[in-house]
Structures are given as structure tokens and as C-alpha cells.
């Protein structure tokens, strides 16, 4: 059982708004588990929209555009469970541990986050208690219920222009200390027409592999983080295309690392 931190006072999420995280297709047969930490831009009513204007609340700062839709498609194509957060990463970024400042950022790229400015330790503890720890516990419980080995795959998207600089990569394949799945997937992508790169546009040195470290590296499970340029998956047609390209590649990777556990 994971250690839980309980914060005082009223909850961030009301009983009507919760839970903080859910699992889709929990009995999926594939030897894989999908994770989407930045699936939603929902901000609980108790936080008064974090003081964001409409543009910021809809922007990539609030969520990974298209990532949840792509994750759902891949969950179905692979027959794999999907654990996802139901709360904006600006409320709590479930791919960051509580001690990290960017778990509840006061600034996200060009966007100021007024509701995250000057948070007290009690405020931060409350958010971790209500958002991060339930997500972490659900993910741990779902993994523990899976047969070994299970390949952990996290799904993200990134903005084509960041801090004024255009990004050329379309598909980033990221790893932490275990690069088995990343190397296999990179080879599988060759010839797909996607501009793919290893550890782009982020890498472990940027602190983006927390979920991989916490839940896969610690268990010795193969793992990989996928980053898709969000203008490729911001429409249903784009999501369908990318899912169609990625599903057989992921199935082949899963079968290599957990023979018999991948589906195309």
C-alpha cells in the first residue's frame, strides 16, 4: 500500500466533481498499461478557474491537446487498460512529485497562473492529497493487478511552437534509465513518414519521466513515454490517423518485450 498524505480543510475536488483519476478497460488483455497524466483541462470549482482567462484555460498549458483521445483509441486497438487524470495539470501535474515547483506551476510557458502564485504548504499538500495521490494509487493498483511483464506507456502531446521556437519533430520517444521499449519503438517508426526522434522535445533531464521512474523503473518493467505534436491530433481525423500508425508499432514493441502480449 502506498503512503498517503492527508491535508486539512475542505477538499479541492467536490464529491460531485471527483474522482481525480479513472481507469478505462481495466481488464484489457494486452501486456501493456497506457497512462495519460494530462488528459483533462478541468479545474475544480473551489479554485475559481485558477484566475486564468479563456485562452489560457483552453491552451496546451492546461492539458495535452488530443492526448486523451489518442490514448482512448490506442486502448481499444491494443486492448490495453488506460489510467488517466481527470484534472488539469495546472491544478496538479500528475507527472511530477509533490516537491517539484512545476507540480503546481505559477508560470507555464507564456501563461501566468494566478491561482498557483504564493501557494502555502497546506495548499500544496491539499492538492497532492486530492489529485496526485489518488492518481498514483490507482496507477499502482492497476499495475499490480496486471501479469508480468507489463509495458508501461505514457501518452503526451506537445505544442508545435514553444517559447517562440518551432519544433520540427512530430513524434518524440522518451526514456529514462531503461531504453528497451524506446529503442524498439524508434526502429518500428522508421518508414512511417513521421519525423521521430529519441528524447525530443524533452528528455529525462527535464524531469518529465517521473511516472516512468515511479511506476515502471522501480518495478523493473519496460516503459516508454510518447510525445505527439498536438496539431497532428487536434481533430478526430488526426487522432484516427496517428492511432492507426502507432497501434501496430506499439503492438510489435509489446510483443518483443512481453511475447504474446501485443495486439494490432
Amino acid at each position: 500500500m502506498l503512503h498517503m498524505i492527508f491535508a486539512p480543510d475542505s477538499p479541492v475536488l467536490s464529491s460531485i466533481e471527483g474522482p481525480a483519476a479513472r481507469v478505462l478497460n481495466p481488464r484489457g488483455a494486452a501486456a501493456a498499461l497506457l497512462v495519460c497524466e494530462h488528459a483533462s483541462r478541468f479545474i475544480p470549482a473551489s479554485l475559481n478557474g485558477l484566475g486564468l482567462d479563456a485562452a489560457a484555460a483552453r491552451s496546451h498549458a492546461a492539458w495535452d491537446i488530443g492526448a486523451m483521445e489518442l490514448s482512448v483509441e490506442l486502448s481499444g486497438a491494443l486492448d490495453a487498460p488506460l489510467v488517466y487524470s481527470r484534472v488539469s495539470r495546472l491544478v496538479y501535474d500528475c507527472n511530477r512529485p509533490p516537491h517539484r515547483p512545476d507540480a503546481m506551476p505559477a508560470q507555464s510557458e507564456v501563461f501566468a497562473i494566478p491561482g498557483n502564485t504564493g501557494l502555502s504548504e497546506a495548499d500544496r499538500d491539499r492538492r497532492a492529497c486530492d489529485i496526485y495521490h489518488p492518481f498514483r494509487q490507482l496507477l499502482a493498483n492497476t499495475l499490480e493487478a496486471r501479469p508480468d511483464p507489463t509495458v508501461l506507456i505514457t501518452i503526451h502531446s506537445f505544442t508545435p511552437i514553444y517559447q517562440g521556437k518551432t519544433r520540427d519533430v512530430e513524434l518524440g520517444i522518451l526514456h529514462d534509465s531503461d531504453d528497451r521499449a524506446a529503442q524498439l519503438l524508434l526502429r518500428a517508426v522508421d518508414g512511417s513518414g513521421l519525423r521521430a526522434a529519441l528524447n525530443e522535445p524533452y528528455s529525462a533531464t527535464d524531469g518529465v519521466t517521473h511516472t516512468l521512474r515511479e511506476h515502471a523503473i522501480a518495478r523493473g518493467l519496460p516503459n516508454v513515454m510518447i510525445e505527439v505534436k498536438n496539431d497532428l491530433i487536434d481533430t478526430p481525423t488526426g487522432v484516427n490517423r496517428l492511432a492507426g500508425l502507432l497501434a501496430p508499432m506499439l503492438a510489435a514493441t509489446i510483443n518483443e518485450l512481453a511475447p504474446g502480449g501485443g495486439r494490432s
Side-chain angles (χ1 to χ4, degrees):
M1 177 66 71
L2 294 173
H3 176 62
M4 299 292 287
I5 298 174
F6 293 96
D9 301 325
S10 60
V12 175
L13 274 172
S14 72
S15 58
I16 294 173
E17 293 171 326
R22 282 194 174 128
V23 58
L24 178 71
N25 190 21
R27 296 180 178 83
L33 174 62
L34 304 179
V35 181
C36 191
E37 301 102 317
H38 306 153
S40 174
R41 61 184 180 91
F42 173 70
I43 298 173
S46 66
L47 299 179
N48 298 313
L50 292 176
L52 302 176
D53 62 25
R58 290 193 302 267
S59 75
H60 66 87
W63 62 336
D64 279 359
I65 295 166
M68 179 59 179
E69 291 81 0
L70 179 61
S71 298
V72 170
E73 288 290 323
L74 290 173
S75 173
L78 298 169
D79 191 21
L82 165 63
V83 174
Y84 62 98
S85 171
R86 300 181 62 247
V87 180
S88 171
R89 65 179 172 190
L90 294 179
V91 175
Y92 190 100
D93 186 334
C94 286
N95 194 29
R96 302 290 191 276
H99 69 270
R100 284 280 298 260
D102 55 354
M104 292 153 268
Q107 181 81 24
S108 181
E109 200 212 359
V110 299
F111 301 100
I113 318 300
N116 287 350
T117 300
L119 292 176
S120 68
E121 285 303 309
D123 292 331
R124 295 180 65 86
D125 286 349
R126 190 175 301 112
R127 295 222 201 149
C129 174
D130 284 8
I131 311 300
Y132 174 70
H133 289 290
F135 172 86
R136 179 175 179 250
Q137 188 71 63
L138 178 63
L139 178 47
N141 290 347
T142 305
L143 260 181
E144 287 165 7
R146 307 297 297 166
D148 285 332
T150 290
V151 183
L152 185 67
I153 303 166
T154 65
I155 308 293
H156 295 258
S157 73
F158 63 92
T159 182
I161 299 173
Y162 185 75
Q163 300 287 14
K165 295 182 179 180
T166 299
R167 291 158 155 175
D168 292 327
V169 69
E170 294 178 316
L171 177 69
I173 302 170
L174 284 59
H175 66 81
D176 197 271
S177 59
D178 180 352
D179 69 348
R180 289 174 292 168
Q183 295 289 355
L184 286 169
L185 185 57
L186 185 65
R187 290 197 290 272
V189 171
D190 187 37
S192 69
L194 290 170
R195 294 193 300 274
L198 202 65
N199 291 325
E200 292 289 347
Y202 308 105
S203 72
T205 59
D206 298 307
V208 299
T209 55
H210 171 66
T211 297
L212 301 186
R213 286 187 187 182
E214 176 83 8
H215 297 279
I217 302 293
R219 292 176 169 85
L221 299 176
N223 58 89
V224 66
M225 178 177 176
I226 294 172
E227 286 271 6
V228 180
K229 193 167 71 150
N230 67 25
D231 61 359
L232 298 179
I233 52 173
D234 60 358
T235 66
T237 299
V239 169
N240 184 263
R241 172 179 172 267
L242 261 293
L245 289 171
L246 287 173
M249 301 172 192
L250 288 170
T253 299
I254 295 164
N255 270 323
E256 183 73 19
L257 294 167
R263 293 186 178 187
S264 60

